[in-house]
Amino acid sequence: MTGARSLVALLSAIATGSVAIGVVRWRRAFGDVVVAGAQVSSVTSSARIDSGAIDSSIAMLVDNDPFRFSNTPPSVRFDPAADGLPAVAEAPAVRPQLVLKAIVGGPPWSAVIDGLPGQPPGAVVRPGSRFDQITVSAVTRDSVVVRASDTTWVLRFGGRS
């Protein structure tokens, strides 16, 4: 038993000595570091920004926008109530020619429709999706019900009815 105690005492002494040597070497390596106060120059109101530089920066940002394929500002204002899809600001002048392209998932089903006003071709819709005055009422595995203020369309593959 005394052999085990002496081994533990020896290992403890070696560990303590190693830590002490490490602390001494650490302090010698860095010494006393004194950080001087940073000097900050004041900004004067006479500093002018070149308006041409601002215009060229804006043009560069618009031309290189990685989040917009067309690299132009959107023509339709964003509406968070439209489930992430921009809403149309004006009522459609003519009745849209809606075409059912695909039905995805299920249930709940989603549909891919061409011809929605203010939307690109192949807009993905779900029941309750609104596009100005057009609302998607239902999506089933073989049809989509779309309602406007005075019309109801039942879209099926091969055309609408």
Side-chain angles (χ1 to χ4, degrees):
M1 193 73 128
T2 59
R5 285 187 183 176
S6 61
L7 181 62
V8 169
L10 177 65
L11 291 176
S12 296
I14 291 172
T16 304
S18 297
V19 168
I21 291 170
V23 167
V24 168
R25 292 186 72 180
W26 180 272
R27 292 203 182 257
R28 280 189 194 158
F30 290 105
D32 293 332
V33 178
V34 178
V35 178
Q39 295 290 329
V40 178
S41 62
S42 63
V43 177
T44 62
S45 62
S46 65
R48 295 188 183 246
I49 298 174
D50 182 22
S51 63
I54 292 176
D55 293 338
S56 65
S57 296
I58 290 172
M60 183 192 67
L61 285 173
V62 169
D63 291 342
N64 297 311
D65 187 359
F67 302 105
R68 189 173 310 281
F69 292 124
S70 65
N71 287 332
T72 60
S75 60
V76 180
R77 187 177 175 148
F78 176 73
D79 181 14
D83 195 25
L85 300 173
V88 177
E90 302 171 1
V94 295
R95 293 183 186 255
Q97 296 296 316
L98 302 177
V99 179
L100 177 63
K101 291 296 188 175
I103 294 180
V104 184
W109 303 95
S110 296
V112 179
I113 298 177
D114 284 353
L116 287 169
Q119 300 300 314
V124 179
V125 299
R126 293 184 286 253
S129 297
R130 290 186 51 87
F131 306 95
D132 191 28
Q133 297 178 0
I134 294 176
T135 304
V136 178
S137 299
V139 179
T140 64
R141 66 185 182 125
D142 60 350
S143 66
V144 178
V145 178
V146 180
R147 291 200 169 128
S149 59
D150 61 347
T151 306
T152 299
W153 292 282
V154 178
L155 305 177
R156 292 190 173 88
F157 291 109
R160 66 178 176 163
S161 58

